[in-house]
Amino acid sequence: LAEGENVSGVLSLPLHVTVSREYDTIIICRNEDVRHSSGLKSRGRNVFEGETIDVFSCQVKIPCRITVPDADMNFRFEFVESDEIDFSLGNAVFFDYNKIVPPMYIRNVREGDRIQPFGMEGTKKLSDIFIDKKIPKGTREHIPLVADEKSVLWIPQIALSQRVKITDMTEKVVKAE
């Protein structure tokens, strides 16, 4: 498993021991305490083998604060004035509110999800983005996404959608962090 060409895999050993590989990380644990390299705890014994996990979704009503316990993340959404936009803030992104197709949600990944990454013409599958960023399979379903009725708008710390880009024509700005 460690020396093979596959970047992910799992071995089930006697005494309920599981050995898994997630890119450059080897994890050895008991099945009832499976942890991924991200630190998220799995909800089932076979999360690496594509088992269904719990779905989460929470509607965003601006302004608000939302906690996603599964990902150990807190979100804050608020309206800001154009002169308050600071793209150098590491944990904050800014949306053109009028380009959002309500309602907006924080949710986990769904089959077929796509995003138009900032600066791209077309869309890209989230699964391809996760592979490019070497995000382990076992943690992808736990990553909170910000989405509206049309598509994914933001994958925190990974990608922002070109569709909600701030322009000179932007009238109403949402700050998300």
Side-chain angles (χ1 to χ4, degrees):
L1 184 65
E3 294 175 353
E5 292 184 19
N6 290 334
V7 295
S8 65
V10 67
L11 291 173
S12 295
L13 302 176
L15 302 174
H16 306 288
V17 173
T18 300
V19 179
S20 61
R21 177 178 175 182
E22 298 175 350
Y23 295 98
D24 295 333
T25 304
I26 298 292
I27 301 166
I28 303 170
C29 58
R30 294 203 178 271
N31 287 343
E32 59 270 5
D33 192 31
V34 175
R35 286 200 176 269
H36 306 287
S37 58
S38 68
L40 294 174
K41 189 166 183 176
S42 72
R43 295 181 178 221
R45 292 176 58 180
N46 299 318
V47 72
F48 292 105
E49 299 172 8
E51 289 284 318
T52 303
I53 64 136
D54 291 341
V55 172
F56 65 84
S57 180
C58 180
Q59 190 169 348
V60 175
K61 295 182 181 178
I62 305 164
C64 69
R65 290 176 184 257
I66 297 172
T67 298
V68 181
D70 250 11
D72 194 27
M73 288 181 136
N74 296 304
F75 290 84
R76 181 173 58 185
F77 296 86
E78 61 186 338
F79 292 110
V80 296
E81 299 298 322
S82 298
D83 61 349
E84 295 178 67
I85 297 173
D86 183 356
F87 293 110
S88 68
L89 297 174
N91 292 330
V93 294
F94 299 89
F95 301 150
D96 183 329
Y97 180 75
N98 292 329
K99 294 178 183 174
I100 295 169
V101 180
M104 192 163 64
Y105 294 93
I106 293 178
R107 62 171 178 79
N108 56 344
V109 69
R110 305 285 193 267
E111 189 173 335
D113 270 346
R114 300 181 78 83
I115 189 170
Q116 181 184 7
F118 198 78
M120 275 186 67
E121 288 294 320
T123 62
K124 192 168 184 176
K125 290 183 197 176
L126 264 56
S127 58
D128 292 339
I129 291 173
F130 293 152
I131 289 168
D132 293 347
K133 296 290 184 181
K134 297 187 177 185
I135 296 172
K137 269 187 179 181
T139 61
R140 295 174 189 173
E141 295 89 357
H142 296 281
I143 295 172
L145 311 170
V146 176
D148 64 5
E149 285 298 309
K150 188 172 181 180
S151 67
V152 174
L153 303 174
W154 181 37
I155 309 169
Q157 302 173 342
I158 297 174
L160 177 64
S161 176
Q162 175 75 21
R163 190 166 63 82
V164 292
K165 175 183 173 181
I166 303 294
T167 67
D168 293 339
M169 304 299 291
T170 299
E171 297 173 359
K172 203 167 186 182
V173 178
V174 175
K175 177 183 177 184
E177 59 183 330

